[in-house]
């Protein structure tokens, strides 16, 4: 997860039964859920309100590299790497943590783009200045980098 970072978030969770198929490993859609939970963590940590419902995904790409298993702990690392006028680009890594039967492995990685579409509108619009300021807050970023 090296490279430019405007903001970062880490979300820890577990593969639940609903996340698996009959073989006991994750459905690909579970990765999207883990990534969206990390995004929600980032938005909450920055105190942003009104984001959800106004930031649809317009692109989502993922490379799957290892299965996740029922009950396995999962760590999702999310990086906001670019803020444009009305779009944002994120990259992520979803890690399956070590178990008695499996080593820690990268399960999925990728990128996605969201666009600001204010509620009730159909066209994109610039990100609110307060949201940009919260996401670009250098003091918060330095605190997060020290804790990584």
């Amino acid at each position: 997860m090296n490279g430019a970072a405007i903001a970062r978030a880490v979300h820890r969770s577990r593969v639940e039964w609903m996340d698996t198929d009959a073989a006991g490993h994750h459905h690909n859609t579970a990765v999207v859920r883990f990534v969206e939970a990390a995004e929600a963590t980032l938005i909450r940590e920055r105190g942003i309100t009104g984001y959800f419902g106004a930031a649809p995904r317009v692109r989502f790409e993922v490379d799957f590299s290892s299965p996740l298993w029922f009950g396995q702990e999962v760590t999702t690392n999310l990086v906001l790497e670019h803020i444009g006028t009305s779009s944002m680009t994120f990259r992520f890594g979803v890690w399956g943590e070590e178990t008695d039967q499996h080593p820690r492995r990268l399960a999925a990685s990728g990128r996605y783009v969201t666009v600001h579409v204010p509620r009730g509108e159909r066209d994109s619009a610039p990100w609110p200045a307060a949201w940009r300021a919260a996401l670009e807050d250098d003091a918060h970023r330095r605190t997060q980098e020290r804790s990584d």
Side-chain angles (χ1 to χ4, degrees):
M1 297 289 297
N2 295 332
I6 295 168
R8 297 175 184 268
V10 175
H11 179 76
R12 290 180 176 80
S13 55
R14 184 176 299 279
V15 178
E16 300 296 341
W17 186 246
M18 69 179 178
D19 298 322
T20 66
D21 64 14
H25 62 75
H26 78 284
H27 292 289
N28 290 346
T29 56
V31 167
V32 176
R33 188 175 67 80
F34 298 140
V35 170
E36 287 182 345
E39 184 180 358
T41 297
L42 173 66
I43 297 305
R44 275 200 274 321
E45 286 176 349
R46 297 302 177 108
I48 297 171
T49 58
Y51 175 86
F52 294 100
R57 280 116 194 88
V58 296
R59 179 174 177 81
F60 197 97
E61 62 184 62
V62 60
D63 294 313
F64 296 99
S65 49
S66 183
L68 297 167
W69 301 96
F70 173 65
Q72 188 173 18
E73 292 182 0
V74 175
T75 301
T76 304
N77 298 306
L78 182 73
V79 173
L80 172 57
E81 62 182 11
H82 176 76
I83 302 177
T85 301
S86 63
S87 67
M88 288 194 280
T89 303
F90 296 86
R91 71 178 182 271
F92 62 87
V94 178
W95 290 84
E97 296 300 337
E98 182 176 359
T99 69
D100 291 342
Q101 301 164 347
H102 306 286
R104 184 178 197 259
R105 287 194 179 142
L106 180 65
S109 60
R111 282 190 162 70
Y112 67 99
V113 177
T114 62
V115 173
H116 179 232
V117 180
R119 290 177 191 209
E121 301 292 324
R122 296 191 44 85
D123 296 321
S124 65
W127 293 109
W131 294 6
R132 287 185 76 100
L135 290 166
E136 295 172 334
D137 179 9
D138 284 335
H140 190 274
R141 186 178 332 142
R142 284 192 301 272
T143 301
Q144 286 298 103
E145 288 173 354
R146 282 195 301 269
S147 68
D148 286 346

